């Protein structure tokens, strides 16, 4: 680390759980982030500020007026621009240590697998079950840890799937139904700062995982934003899961 970096990351270096070794791990890490919406906004911003070395950001949508209420990485002037591009511009200005690659088209399973094989971690910040199950299959097939989060209305949840640990469940163990239940914010609504809470938690889990610290692996953290209550559920592997067993 150079002098600028020692100063920039000084509040990390003071933490015995991070120190120089942990920060070096962050600076050498590559993260694949899918989704630059409400969850992806704080995730991308915190990972960049925290000094993650390389961030591949994927989103094939364009910035719409109805996104701006909660997708805080995008500016009003970015309306109509691909989200991955708009996000990349904000991230470039934040931290020169983080290399940003923006992918503005939809990745199929093969392309996603190729990206996952080069990444230390995948973060799911998408909003539909089809994509979530696709990301999960790729995470399991490539044994790349996955930080998963979801937010809708006033409710959110976060967990970490880490195949490198024994008896790790996967997203399909938790949500076996790959049917057409596709509840999204566009139909149900979502309260603005909720995506900040859940996305920031995902960023926290990601940073800890990369730095070799404890994560939510094996537990699902659920947040009721209306009554401000957190709950933790223990997750276990489904021994008949067609994806991971
Ligand atoms: Zn499974």
């Amino acid at each position: 680390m150079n002098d600028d970096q020692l100063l920039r990351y000084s509040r990390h270096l003071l933490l015995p759980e991070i120190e120089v070794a942990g920060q070096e791990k962050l600076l050498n890490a590559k993260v694949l982030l899918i989704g630059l919406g409400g969850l992806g906004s704080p995730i991308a911003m915190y990972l960049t500020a925290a000094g993650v070395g390389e961030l591949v950001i994927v989103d094939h949508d364009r910035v719409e007026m109805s996104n701006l209420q909660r997708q805080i990485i995008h500016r009003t002037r970015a309306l109509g621009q691909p989200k991955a591009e708009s996000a990349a511009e904000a991230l470039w200005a934040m931290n020169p240590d983080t290399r940003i690659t923006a992918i503005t088209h939809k990745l199929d399973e093969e392309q996603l697998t190729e990206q996952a094989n080069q990444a230390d971690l995948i973060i799911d910040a998408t909003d539909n079950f089809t994509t979530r199950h696709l990301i999960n299959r790729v995470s399991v097939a490539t044994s790349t840890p996955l930080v998963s989060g979801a937010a809708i209305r006033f409710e959110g949840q976060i967990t970490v799937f880490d195949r490198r640990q024994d008896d790790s469940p996967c997203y399909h163990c938790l949500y076996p139904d790959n049917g057409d239940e596709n509840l999204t914010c566009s139909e149900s609504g979502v309260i603005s700062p909720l995506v900040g809470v859940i996305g920031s938690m995902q960023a926290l889990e990601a940073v800890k995982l990369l730095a070799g610290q404890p994560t939510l692996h094996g537990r699902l953290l659920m947040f009721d934003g209306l009554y401000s209550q957190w709950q933790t559920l223990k997750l276990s592997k489904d021994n008949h899961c067609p994806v991971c067993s």
Side-chain angles (χ1 to χ4, degrees):
M1 264 184 277
N2 58 38
D3 286 352
D4 277 354
Q5 290 174 319
L6 290 172
L7 198 54
R8 182 184 281 266
Y9 306 117
S10 57
R11 301 305 187 267
H12 271 170
L13 305 182
L14 287 168
L15 299 169
E17 294 83 358
I18 306 288
E19 292 184 323
V20 173
Q23 188 62 47
E24 295 279 8
K25 284 181 189 163
L26 294 178
L27 287 164
N28 290 321
K30 179 168 178 173
V31 172
L32 175 61
L33 169 61
I34 326 276
L36 272 305
L39 298 173
S41 291
I43 296 170
M45 292 163 89
Y46 273 120
L47 294 189
T48 301
V52 166
E54 201 169 347
L55 208 51
V56 178
I57 55 176
V58 187
D59 201 310
H60 64 274
D61 279 340
R62 287 172 184 270
V63 180
E64 292 175 23
M65 188 63 90
S66 62
N67 299 150
L68 298 174
Q69 157 255 21
R70 67 198 177 283
Q71 303 186 8
I72 58 170
I73 203 167
H74 307 298
R75 300 288 167 260
T76 303
R77 64 161 188 274
L79 281 172
Q81 196 182 351
K83 284 187 186 178
E85 246 178 58
S86 155
E89 282 172 19
L91 300 173
W92 281 324
M94 280 183 77
N95 188 353
D97 287 341
T98 304
R99 186 138 48 104
I100 309 288
T101 306
I103 298 179
T104 57
H105 60 269
K106 202 169 184 160
L107 298 181
D108 62 22
E109 192 149 353
E110 193 184 331
Q111 294 164 323
L112 201 57
T113 303
E114 205 182 304
Q115 289 294 336
N117 271 326
Q118 298 166 35
D120 299 298
L121 169 66
I122 310 172
I123 305 183
D124 184 349
T126 65
D127 67 351
N128 73 83
F129 280 104
T130 312
T131 313
R132 286 177 182 282
H133 280 288
L134 167 64
I135 293 170
N136 180 58
R137 286 197 301 275
V138 168
S139 154
V140 170
T142 61
S143 288
T144 314
L146 170 64
V147 175
S148 181
I152 199 156
R153 295 181 294 248
F154 282 86
E155 298 132 44
Q157 48 180 255
I158 317 107
T159 189
V160 175
F161 302 107
D162 193 346
R163 291 280 289 168
R164 302 168 305 175
Q165 304 199 31
D166 289 343
D167 283 333
S168 170
C170 79
Y171 183 78
H172 196 282
C173 297
L174 179 59
Y175 293 107
D177 191 8
N178 201 353
D180 51 9
E181 195 206 340
N182 231 340
L183 210 58
T184 61
C185 299
S186 56
E187 292 128 39
S188 307
V190 60
I191 189 82
S192 171
L194 175 73
V195 291
V197 173
I198 303 299
S200 299
M201 288 295 299
Q202 285 181 272
L204 176 62
E205 292 304 308
V207 166
K208 287 189 301 171
L209 188 142
L210 295 171
Q213 294 300 319
T215 70
L216 268 173
H217 169 71
R219 287 176 297 151
L220 177 72
L221 189 58
M222 293 183 299
F223 181 55
D224 176 340
L226 192 54
Y227 294 99
S228 302
Q229 285 175 331
W230 293 92
Q231 247 190 316
T232 311
L233 263 186
K234 204 175 172 309
L235 296 182
S236 44
K237 183 183 173 75
D238 171 5
N239 288 320
H240 302 289
C241 174
V243 177
C244 71
S245 286

